[in-house]
Amino acid sequence: MKLFSTNSNGRRIGTVAAIATVVALAATGCAATDGGDAGGGDAGAGTIAFLPKQLNNPYTDVVLGGGAEGADAIGYDSQVLGPLEASASAQIPFIEQATQEGTNVIVIAANDPDAVGPALQTAREAGAKIVAFDSDTNPDYRDIFISQVVAKDVALIQLEIISEQIGGSGEIAILSATATATNQNEWIKFMEEELASNPDYSDITLVAKVYGDDDADKSFQETQGLLSSYPDLAGIISPTTVGIAAAAKYISTSDYKGKVALTGLGLPNEMREFVKDGTVQEFALWDPAQLGYVAAFAGKALVDGTITGAEGDTFDAGDMGEITVGANGVAIVGPPTRFNADNIDEYDF
């Protein structure tokens, strides 16, 4: 059965077949999908390379599934390139590979906003259009950034959820991905500002920020360390799908279950068991497939010259409709959704 992810306008994007293809190929550590075989490409098709922060990440698999479907829809041949570990420099050889191959569009989720800069600049000089998605580069190094949602909204919804669950007071900690991840750091910055300025959160204290590097084992260990180091900890926010799943796994079989609240950004399919067993009450996310899908259309629009990434530019994004580019070359896909026991079975990704 094919999964459809529905956008805010009720349009649907099929993702399961594309995700399955990407997952199977990404297992080699360097994947490629041929748009011609998928029915969208031909000998004269454009080319697009997707460079996620790391391969073999369930969230990334969903994003790349949307990207594969978007590439097929625009008639581009596509490939997935990327490291198995998320680090600042790990993406550089894959950018260089895409450049050497003459790729028309490079779509990247940056592990570090600046480390990838020189390689991306070389790619641009060679004629490639650069689309950042999920985690931005320094704006000097890309043409457009496809963002999940307004960054501040992501931060605020997680704070709202944790505050509700701990009764508006107590110690909290953040379990993040890598210390250099642009999206993670922006969300954390907004959380810290809101905690400092909003009287509704005056009784909540952020006592620690730790980094699991989007590695399940390390995130599991960091959760254990937080709970050991802060015996009065009331809640944990993990704004990363790997982190929240690992934290939930630890808490679910510990004495902290039902005592320490956990929220953040998670995939419904990974979090369902933890919601149903009471480990997690509620968490948030957007539809990850839409990021990859819209990024493909943005890349084609850049190649075709119908947009430059300037504020006010608009481009057609297929089933997602028309997308408008905002300030600083940022295009927003859609708002976050809160998942809980009442609605989690309605989602399959």
Side-chain angles (χ1 to χ4, degrees):
M1 181 175 67
K2 190 173 184 180
L3 163 68
F4 286 96
S5 300
T6 306
N7 72 4
S8 59
N9 295 320
R11 296 186 176 93
R12 301 189 300 177
I13 300 174
T15 59
V16 157
I19 292 170
T21 300
V22 169
V23 172
L25 291 167
T28 66
C30 178
T33 63
D34 184 344
D37 292 341
D42 55 48
T47 54
I48 184 168
F50 293 93
L51 278 72
K53 288 188 284 187
Q54 65 180 132
L55 297 178
N56 299 337
N57 176 318
Y59 171 84
T60 295
D61 293 340
V62 180
V63 175
L64 295 176
E69 186 172 357
D72 184 60
I74 63 175
Y76 271 38
D77 294 329
S78 66
Q79 64 175 334
V80 175
L81 304 170
L84 293 174
E85 295 183 0
S87 70
S89 61
Q91 293 172 307
I92 293 173
F94 299 101
I95 299 170
E96 293 172 343
Q97 176 182 336
T99 303
Q100 292 166 2
E101 293 173 353
T103 302
N104 299 118
V105 181
I106 296 175
V107 180
I108 182 170
N111 281 319
D112 183 287
D114 295 306
V116 294
L120 289 178
Q121 186 59 38
T122 299
R124 295 177 88 179
E125 291 170 356
K129 300 299 183 182
I130 308 300
V131 178
F133 72 157
D134 186 48
S135 183
D136 202 4
T137 67
N138 182 315
D140 291 340
Y141 303 134
R142 49 80 170 162
D143 296 295
I144 192 171
F145 173 48
I146 308 301
S147 181
Q148 308 92 333
V149 289
V150 177
K152 190 170 185 178
D153 290 348
V154 179
L156 295 186
I157 198 169
Q158 294 176 85
L159 277 182
E160 289 170 6
I161 293 171
I162 201 70
S163 179
E164 291 166 4
Q165 293 180 13
I166 67 174
S169 66
E171 295 181 353
I172 65 170
I174 294 174
L175 169 62
S176 184
T178 63
T180 57
T182 311
N183 54 353
Q184 298 281 311
N185 289 334
E186 187 171 24
W187 297 332
I188 292 169
K189 179 194 72 172
F190 283 125
M191 289 184 205
E192 291 176 326
E193 291 175 353
E194 191 72 6
L195 285 169
S197 63
N198 190 333
D200 291 342
Y201 302 136
S202 60
D203 293 327
I204 297 177
T205 303
L206 177 61
V207 295
K209 293 179 290 184
V210 297
Y211 302 92
D213 294 341
D214 264 351
D215 177 85
D217 291 337
K218 185 176 181 184
S219 297
F220 186 95
Q221 293 165 4
E222 292 291 350
T223 302
Q224 185 178 27
L226 280 173
L227 294 167
S228 298
S229 300
Y230 299 93
D232 296 326
L233 197 65
I236 297 173
I237 298 174
S238 186
T240 159
T241 60
V242 175
I244 192 174
K249 182 178 179 181
Y250 177 80
I251 293 173
S252 68
T253 59
S254 75
D255 293 336
Y256 298 102
K257 181 179 177 181
K259 299 177 182 178
V260 176
L262 172 64
T263 193
L265 304 178
L267 292 166
N269 286 353
E270 289 191 327
M271 299 302 295
R272 183 173 288 106
E273 65 176 294
F274 302 117
V275 169
K276 293 193 172 185
D277 73 8
T279 301
V280 175
Q281 294 180 32
E282 191 170 50
F283 63 97
L285 198 65
W286 46 88
D287 184 340
Q290 294 176 357
L291 279 175
Y293 184 85
V294 172
F297 279 86
K300 184 177 188 300
L302 287 165
V303 171
D304 292 346
T306 56
I307 66 170
T308 63
E311 183 175 3
D313 279 353
T314 61
F315 62 95
D316 174 71
D319 287 344
M320 289 295 295
E322 185 178 88
I323 301 292
T324 301
V325 182
N328 301 315
V330 178
I332 305 296
V333 173
T337 297
R338 293 166 71 133
F339 301 95
N340 51 48
D342 292 333
N343 70 355
I344 196 165
D345 283 337
E346 299 172 13
Y347 298 88
D348 187 17
F349 63 87

